Structure formats: C-alpha cells, structure tokens
Amino acid sequence: MTRTRTPLLLLTLIALGALPALAASPVLSRITPRGAQRGTEAVLTFTGQRLSDTLEILFYEPGITVTKIEPDAKTGTKATVTVKVAPDARLGEYGVRLRTGTGVSEFRTFWVGRLPVSAEKEPNSEFKSPQPIELNTTVQGVIENEDQDFFVVTLKKGQRVTAEIEGMRLAGAMFDPYLAILDENRFELTAADDTALLKQDTVVSIVAPKDGKYVIQVRDSSFGGSGDAHYRLHVGTFPRPRVAYPLGGPAGEAVAVKFLGDAAGPFSQTFKLPAKADPHFELYAEQDGQAPPSGNPFRVSEFPNVLEAEPNDSIKTATTYTGPLPVAFNGIISEQPSETPAVAASAAPAKAGDPKVSASASTAIGGDSDFFKFKAQKGQVLEINVFARRLRTPLDPVLTVYGPTGSQIATNDDTGGPDAYVRLAVPADGEYA
C-alpha cells in the first residue's frame, strides 16, 4: 500500500506546485519560415504568447547557432531570432524550444535543407498563371483553405525533374499534401498523394519527354488547408530513389547499394557504414554531384548480410545460410524475379547471448515469395523480424517459418504495424526455412 500511494502523493504535490509556473509559461505557436539552407543566415519569427522576456532559443543538437534575439516587448506575441546554419549541419528536422524568464515553451521543429530557399508568391493559384521558379530550389509556402499553388520550370528533353514536399512532416497544421506534374496542355504526367518513403508527404518525378515548360501543382489532398498549412517544396534535377537494396548492412563495413525507383532508372553507390548500429541512419544517394533533400532509411546492425539468390521462391530453392546466428537476410519481393522495391529480415535468438534473424525487404507488387534457410538448435529462442515498412518500402510482409520436415510451424502478418515478427522456441535441431 505504501509503494502504491507514495508516487500518487508526489504527483499531486508536483501538479499543485506547478500551476502558477504553467500559467506564466511562454506559448510557442509557430516558427516562420519553417526552414533554411545550410551554410546561410536566416531571420526567423517565433510567434506565440508571453514572449516579451525571451531569453534563450534552445536547439537540441549542434548545427544551428542563435546570434540575435529581439522580443516584441509591447505585445509579447513574437520574437525575431537570427540564426546561422553551419555548412555541415545535418539535413532534416531540428527540435527547438523558447525560454523566457518564467518558463520554457512547447517543442517545435525547424528544418535544414541543401537547396537555396525562395518564397511562394501569390497569385499563383491558377494553372494559367503559375509562379516561375529556378530548378534546384526550395519553395516555402502556405496552402490556404481550398487553395492550390502552381509553379513552372523549363526543362530539356531527357532532363529529370523531381518535386518532394515537406508538409505533414513539419508537424504544424493538419496538411496532407498532393503533388502533380503537368505539361503545358495541362496533361497530368504524374501525381501522388502519399508515398511509402515519406508517409503522408509525397514525391513526384518525371523525365521530360520534350523541351518545354512543366507545371508543378501543390494542394491539400482533400482541398483543405489553413493559414498554418505551411510546406517546403524541393524542386530540382536531383536523384530521388524510393528504396535502397540491400536495406541494411553490417556496422563499420563498406556496402554496395543499388538505388531503385528513380525516374531516370536504377544506379549504384558504395557507402562506408557507421562503426556502431544506428537506428536512425539514412543514405543520401548522389548522382552528378546532386543528392535528394531527404535520405533513404537503412538498417545498420551487427549482423552479417546475406542477399537472396533467385530463384528462391520455394523451400527447395531457398537461399541457404550455413553460418551461425544472428544473420540478416535481404531480398526483393517483386512482380517478376528481378528488381523492384525490397525486404530485409533478421533472425536472432531472443535472450542474451542467443542469435537473431532479421530480414529487410525492398518492395514490389505481385506474387513473389523469397525463401531462406538457416540452421538452429533445439532450445534456442529465436526472434525473426522483418523490416520493410519501417524502412519505408511499400511492402506489407507476411512471414512464415517452416521446420526441418517442411511443415509450417509459425506465421505472422502484422505485429505493432505492417511488418511481421515471430518469436520461436526451436523444437528440434535442424534446418529451418
């Protein structure tokens, strides 16, 4: 009874003591603009309440330095903040809070990109009057209710153009972006709402079929929007693969990776992986000196890598591994037994010192199955874990385990999400698939 009551009593005292402080704490509603190019200086507006005595801007990792803070002492509703973004600042999302003399604000986000930044300029809501922009630019804009923004670029035949948007990822208003690329006759060449790689944000790419002007359309997927529906639209000739194969590799090693799903076709690149396993590691594909605005998730682990060898769509033809566990199997579930998007799986014993199996898979649509064989011993407890959707491929994997006699002993579709997982107590020595 004492152990049960004490935490409740402490919680009550803390909550009562915190009420006056909470009432005076600053409120940070938004930061505009929503991002900046690395290697530049930017002037930001922090908007909210009780900001008149702003003392400090707290960024939670290196790369962004605050050089000036100018609170609006009269209204207390904003503070003008000047920052310098380091030339080698990590790309992507940064967490930030604002501190005043009476408290600390909510957690908000700020984004760093590699491209020069320009602003959306209204009126650009009609296809006939799009806003001209340069290639390899980030446009920062807002989608008001039922708004559409149109931008126009000029391309040569055979030139790749990609548009990738940060909308939902900005963690502001509920804004689910839709993108399309249209030709001068308003013929839709490609369009997308959600993508596996970017979740509810999206990306579209084409290779220009002829010289001319091409229009990029931005809107909310349900024609919603608001004054807080901010976005960052990256438009350029950079590569934008949707998936990497293999989807993972051993820490500290050099791994040859094939990037798939780019509008201009697949291409390969070799990467030296970090010395330690990193659950947040991403690969940035490079081609002709250019790279995409965001990375491809890549699983770095301590496991040795095994790549599928087609044909392996039956137990009889399974890709066979004879070494010790843990191990990571990598394959591609495709419409044809060649390449499209991918999967990685890993098998490993569950308790300390026991092995594991992991699988990573790139994606595809169709009826392909990949089989892998490995040896296990009676009494081992294995975790067999498929990494596909977690690594942003479109695959919704189904995992089935077969025993030494070829009979099915376990299966799983979804566990805590679309990826599959099986925990298996090995019933007998032998070869499992």
Side-chain angles (χ1 to χ4, degrees):
M1 291 296 289
T2 302
R3 289 182 180 177
T4 301
R5 287 176 177 170
T6 301
L8 292 176
L9 177 62
L10 288 173
L11 178 63
T12 303
L13 291 173
I14 291 170
L16 291 172
L19 284 174
L22 285 173
S25 292
V27 174
L28 179 56
S29 302
R30 74 183 69 87
I31 302 169
T32 53
R34 298 296 290 111
Q37 181 186 18
R38 63 182 178 184
T40 66
E41 183 177 82
V43 178
L44 313 177
T45 300
F46 284 56
T47 304
Q49 300 174 36
R50 297 184 288 278
L51 307 183
S52 58
D53 62 338
T54 298
L55 300 174
E56 187 178 11
I57 305 299
L58 305 170
F59 282 97
Y60 280 77
E61 56 184 298
I64 302 176
T65 303
V66 178
T67 60
K68 187 187 292 186
I69 303 174
E70 300 173 286
D72 184 339
K74 290 184 178 180
T75 66
T77 59
K78 67 178 182 177
T80 302
V81 178
T82 304
V83 299
K84 284 187 176 179
V85 184
D88 60 349
R90 180 187 60 77
L91 297 173
E93 181 185 61
Y94 285 73
V96 58
R97 296 181 193 267
L98 178 149
R99 184 176 71 85
T100 67
T102 56
V104 178
S105 75
E106 301 89 341
F107 185 93
R108 300 300 180 195
T109 65
F110 183 77
W111 288 69
V112 172
R114 70 171 79 242
L115 300 177
V117 177
S118 63
E120 174 215 352
K121 296 178 182 178
E122 294 284 358
N124 66 342
S125 299
E126 299 291 336
F127 174 82
K128 293 180 180 180
S129 55
Q131 177 182 338
I133 59 172
E134 297 292 329
L135 288 170
N136 301 312
T137 299
T138 295
V139 181
Q140 300 195 128
V142 179
I143 292 292
E144 300 282 355
N145 187 40
E146 297 186 356
D147 187 19
Q148 299 184 77
D149 289 345
F150 292 91
F151 304 94
V152 62
V153 294
T154 301
L155 301 175
K156 295 290 187 182
K157 180 180 179 179
Q159 192 172 22
R160 172 181 55 203
V161 65
T162 297
E164 177 179 327
I165 194 166
E166 292 154 4
M168 192 70 75
R169 286 177 288 174
L170 296 182
M174 181 61 71
F175 170 48
D176 182 7
Y178 168 96
L179 291 179
I181 301 177
L182 307 99
D183 66 13
E184 293 176 276
N185 298 316
R186 203 164 186 168
F187 181 79
E188 189 176 90
L189 301 174
T190 184
D193 175 4
D194 303 330
T195 56
L197 176 64
L198 306 175
K199 297 186 176 180
Q200 284 182 272
D201 285 340
T202 193
V203 59
V204 288
S205 302
I206 63 164
V207 174
K210 61 181 181 179
D211 293 359
K213 296 183 182 297
Y214 293 83
V215 176
I216 298 162
Q217 176 190 19
V218 181
R219 64 170 173 83
D220 181 81
S221 61
S222 58
F223 289 93
S226 71
D228 284 333
H230 292 264
Y231 65 84
R232 284 167 45 85
L233 176 70
H234 312 280
V235 180
T237 56
F238 47 81
R240 178 66 279 182
R242 306 305 198 266
V243 71
Y245 180 74
L247 279 178
E253 293 192 8
V255 177
V257 174
K258 177 176 277 190
F259 288 107
L260 307 171
D262 184 79
F267 60 98
S268 298
Q269 191 176 341
T270 298
F271 294 86
K272 181 64 182 293
L273 301 184
K276 295 183 179 179
D278 181 354
H280 305 295
F281 185 70
E282 294 181 323
L283 299 179
Y284 281 84
E286 291 191 15
Q287 198 174 50
D288 301 324
Q290 294 185 312
S294 61
N296 289 88
F298 192 83
R299 179 172 159 78
V300 179
S301 72
E302 305 299 331
F303 300 174
N305 244 16
V306 174
L307 306 188
E308 68 162 324
E310 291 282 4
N312 69 337
D313 51 1
S314 68
I315 294 178
K316 185 177 180 180
T317 60
T319 298
T320 300
Y321 171 71
T322 58
L325 300 177
V327 64
F329 295 123
N330 293 263
I332 299 176
I333 302 299
S334 57
E335 199 166 22
Q336 299 173 350
S338 57
E339 52 201 51
T340 321
V343 51
S346 57
K351 56 185 180 182
D354 278 346
K356 291 192 176 181
V357 177
S358 76
S360 26
S362 294
T363 310
I365 305 168
D368 187 23
S369 294
D370 288 346
F371 284 78
F372 300 89
K373 285 182 180 178
F374 61 95
K375 292 182 178 179
Q377 297 176 341
K378 182 178 181 179
Q380 284 183 315
V381 179
L382 302 184
E383 287 181 320
I384 305 176
N385 212 340
V386 183
F387 293 81
R389 193 64 63 85
R390 280 173 288 181
L391 297 177
R392 309 284 181 81
T393 85
L395 185 69
D396 180 1
V398 175
L399 172 66
T400 304
V401 183
Y402 299 87
T405 63
S407 60
Q408 177 180 316
I409 58 175
T411 189
N412 179 255
D413 179 2
D414 302 332
T415 296
D419 284 346
Y421 167 83
V422 164
R423 182 182 175 96
L424 175 68
V426 179
D429 292 358
E431 192 171 54
Y432 290 75

